[in-house]
Amino acid sequence: MHAASPVGDGTTPEVFRGLLADARAALPGMVALRRSIHRHPETGAHLPRTQQSVLAALDGLGLDLATGSRLSSVTARLEGARPGPTVLLRADMDALPMDEETGLDFASSVPGAMHACGHDTHTAMLVGAARLLAARRHLLAGRVVFMFQPAEESGGGARHMIDDGVLETPDGSGVTAAFALHVTTRFPTGTLHLRPGPTFAASDGLHVAVRGRGGHASAPHRALDPVPVACEIVQALQTMVTRTVDVFDPAVVTVASIHAGTTGNVIPGTAEIHGTFRTLTPAARQQVRDGITRVAQHVAAAHGAHADVTLTEGYPPVVNDPARTAALHDAAALLLGPGRVHLLPDPFMGAEDFSYVLQQVPGAMAFLGACPPGNAPEAAPDCHCDRVVFDEDAMATGAAVHAAAALRAGTLPDPSP
C-alpha cells in the first residue's frame, strides 16, 4: 500500500470533493440518531425499535428497503447512475447485556442493556453514509448495499442475513466487495487503522466437566475431589499453549469461570470450567481444540477422575482481502490525508461475525479511532466496558470513509486476482 496524497490537491478524485465537509455538516443528525439508539438499547436478534429508527432515518432517500425474515435486519440498496460493481457496507445494531456506568445524559434507560461496543455509532455512521451517497447518486457507478445487522454479539446475525440474500443482486452478479468499520478508543479520533490478512480471531468456547466423587470435607481421602483436578487442568492449558503452539501463529486460551460445590464442608462430585480460545488460522484452531481435549482428559485420568470436554465452534477469523484492504487504505488516505490512515502491525484477538461476509466476498474491516478528548488511548475504557465513551466526532469521518469506499470502487479496475 502506498502513501496517498491528502485531500485538496490535484490528485484527489472528483467524486471525493466536498465529501468530508458534507459528512461534518450531517454530524448533528448522526449524533441525534446515535443517542436515541444508545438510550434505548436492544440485544440479540430482535431489535424492533432500532429497526424502526433506521427505517425512519432512511426514508426519503430513494433506497430499495427490505427487512429480515428471521431477525430485525434492514437491507437498503442504492442504484448508481452508471453500471459498475456492487459494494456492501455493513453496520451492526445490537447492544450488550450489561448495565451502563458512564453517567452520560443519554445513558441507557434499559436495565441490563448497553451499547458498550459502539454498534449505535456504527448504525448512525452507515445512515450518514447512505445520505452522502444518495446525494451523489449521479457520481456512483454500480450500486451500494447497506447492511444493518442485528445479533453480532451473539447468534451470528451476519450468517442469517446472508441466508436471506443480502449478498445477492437482481442481475445475479452478487456483491463484489464488502467493507465495515469498528470504533475503538484505542486510537485517536478520526484515524483509520487496518491490515491485510487476519484482523480478528476465531472465537470458540470450551466447557470441561471434571467428574470425581463427592464426600465430607473432613475426609478427602474417602472422596475424589474434582476441585484440585480442575485447577490443575487450568494451569496445564496455559502450558499447553506456550509449549505446543507456534508463537508466530498465536492462540489465547482463557478460563473465565470455575464452579464447584455449594458449601464449605462438602466435597462436590463435579467441578465445571468455562472459557474461550482464540486463534487466527485453521491449523492453530484445530491444534488448540485437540490440545484442550487431550490435556483435560489426561490430567483428570492421572487423578482417577474423568473429564467431559465440550468445545463450541464460534465465529471464524476476520481475514481482510489484501487487494480490498489496499483499496480501502488508498481511498481513506485520499479522503483524510495519509497521516490519518495507519497499517496495523498485529491483529486483535477479539471476534467479529463480519467474518461470515468475508468468507463469501473479498473485503476489509478497519478500526476507526474514537478516543474522547482529554483521554489517553492506552488508558481510556474501551469496547465491552461499562464505562466506555466514544467520541461522536469520529462518526463524520466514518460516514465519509464508508462513502469514499463505495465511490472509489466504481472508478478503479477490479482488484481481485
Side-chain angles (χ1 to χ4, degrees):
M1 296 175 208
H2 57 274
S5 302
V7 135
D9 75 1
T11 67
T12 304
E14 181 64 32
V15 292
F16 286 7
R17 298 195 186 279
L19 187 59
L20 198 54
D22 288 353
R24 288 171 179 149
L27 182 59
M30 287 187 266
V31 168
L33 176 60
R34 182 258 170 153
R35 292 186 177 186
S36 175
I37 294 171
H38 189 95
R39 189 177 288 114
H40 304 285
E42 297 172 299
T43 61
H46 187 55
L47 318 176
R49 184 180 184 125
T50 307
Q51 182 187 54
Q52 287 305 311
S53 295
V54 170
L55 289 170
L58 297 175
D59 187 45
L61 296 183
L63 307 179
D64 179 15
L65 300 173
T67 55
S69 62
R70 287 178 289 179
L71 67 173
S72 302
S73 62
V74 176
T75 301
R77 291 180 168 84
L78 173 66
E79 288 288 337
R82 295 177 288 115
T86 299
V87 177
L88 180 142
L89 305 175
R90 178 269 206 165
D92 36 13
M93 304 191 296
D94 55 321
L96 282 160
M98 57 190 288
D99 291 318
E100 180 167 352
E101 300 294 339
T102 62
L104 292 169
D105 292 342
F106 54 92
S108 171
S109 64
V110 181
M114 175 191 176
H115 271 289
C117 202
H119 295 184
D120 52 341
T121 66
H122 299 171
T123 301
M125 286 191 301
L126 193 57
V127 168
R131 291 187 173 277
L132 294 172
L133 288 168
R136 291 165 170 77
R137 189 192 308 259
H138 61 291
L139 300 174
L140 180 65
R143 63 198 57 80
V144 182
V145 177
F146 303 95
M147 176 183 179
F148 294 90
Q149 177 210 312
E152 189 282 320
E153 295 294 350
S154 61
R159 191 168 42 183
H160 296 304
M161 290 192 70
I162 291 170
D163 290 342
D164 278 347
V166 72
L167 301 181
E168 300 170 7
T169 56
D171 63 2
S173 61
V175 170
T176 56
F179 300 103
L181 301 179
H182 202 302
V183 294
T184 176
T185 63
R186 297 187 189 187
F187 303 120
T189 290
T191 59
L192 200 73
H193 304 256
L194 71 170
R195 72 189 306 273
T199 300
F200 283 84
S203 171
D204 298 314
L206 69 93
H207 172 253
V208 180
V210 182
R211 307 197 185 279
R213 186 173 63 255
H216 200 288
S218 66
H221 62 290
R222 299 180 66 86
L224 203 173
D225 190 348
V227 174
V229 179
C231 293
E232 190 171 325
I233 289 172
V234 173
Q235 294 293 96
L237 289 176
Q238 303 310 311
T239 303
M240 180 272 294
V241 171
T242 61
R243 291 297 177 268
T244 66
V245 178
D246 186 347
V247 69
F248 296 107
D249 189 4
V252 173
V253 176
T254 297
V255 172
S257 171
I258 304 177
H259 179 78
T262 56
T263 188
N265 63 351
V266 176
I267 293 174
T270 302
E272 297 196 13
I273 299 169
H274 293 268
T276 181
F277 58 102
R278 310 296 175 99
T279 52
L280 296 173
T281 66
R285 195 177 194 183
Q286 188 60 51
Q287 183 181 16
V288 173
R289 290 178 64 89
D290 294 342
I292 291 171
T293 301
R294 181 181 67 252
V295 166
Q297 291 180 344
H298 288 190
V299 169
H303 292 274
H306 179 75
D308 292 329
V309 180
T310 303
L311 304 177
T312 306
E313 186 172 297
Y315 297 161
V318 171
V319 182
N320 284 348
D321 175 73
R324 303 299 183 186
T325 304
L328 179 59
H329 176 281
D330 289 351
L334 284 165
L335 178 72
L336 306 175
R340 290 173 61 186
V341 183
H342 306 275
L343 287 177
L344 286 169
D346 303 301
F348 285 74
M349 297 307 281
E352 239 287 351
D353 82 339
F354 190 60
S355 53
Y356 292 117
V357 174
L358 296 187
Q359 284 185 329
Q360 304 293 322
V361 176
M365 170 171 269
F367 289 97
L368 175 65
C371 187
N375 288 261
E378 63 273 13
D382 201 14
C383 297
H384 290 226
C385 176
D386 59 4
R387 296 177 292 109
V388 65
V389 176
F390 299 103
D391 187 354
E392 293 175 319
D393 284 350
M395 293 193 295
T397 300
V401 169
H402 269 310
L407 290 167
R408 186 70 165 156
T411 64
L412 295 174
D414 187 348
S416 298

